[in-house]
Amino acid sequence: MRKLWVVLAVVGVLACPINSSAECDQSEAKTLIKKVVNGGLASREDQTVTIVYTWKANWYSMSKDKQYSLAEGLGAVERCLRPGVTMRIRAAGRDVAKSGNFGTELFDR
């Protein structure tokens, strides 16, 4: 349950979109990524143009709004660090969300 509160806190911080590297705090972005990974919520794999998060917490227990906010926020943080990168979230062995320069999308359950 504590992990879920961490997720919600991260989502709250990430809710404001980060549009360009001039407007974002890269130090804070790195810290938020470490909190997600070190908190045991997800593992992170850098595949050059795509960052893949394998979600360890129960993705499906979150509402669609929370899932969308989380995907949008993590995508914004990743683009803060490396503009143009796409972020994907995998849960239970399949892609469940992606976020990139052209927006954020949740995939059907």
Side-chain angles (χ1 to χ4, degrees), residues 4-14:
L4 183 58
W5 289 112
V6 172
V7 171
L8 295 176
V10 170
V11 168
V13 170
L14 300 176

Side-chain angles (χ1 to χ4, degrees), residues 6-50:
V6 172
V7 171
L8 295 176
V10 170
V11 168
V13 170
L14 300 176
C16 301
I18 300 170
N19 297 322
S20 72
S21 59
E23 296 175 11
C24 73
D25 182 344
Q26 291 188 346
S27 172
E28 182 66 19
K30 289 176 185 176
T31 300
L32 290 171
I33 290 169
K34 284 181 185 177
K35 285 182 181 180
V36 169
V37 174
N38 293 343
L41 298 173
S43 61
R44 180 180 179 270
E45 182 182 352
D46 187 339
Q47 298 179 344
T48 310
V49 295
T50 303

Side-chain angles (χ1 to χ4, degrees), residues 7 36 41-42 53-57 59 62 70 74 89-91:
V7 171
V36 169
L41 298 173
Y53 283 87
T54 301
W55 204 252
K56 295 177 182 178
W59 176 262
M62 293 187 286
L70 181 65
L74 280 175
I89 297 175
R90 294 184 57 78

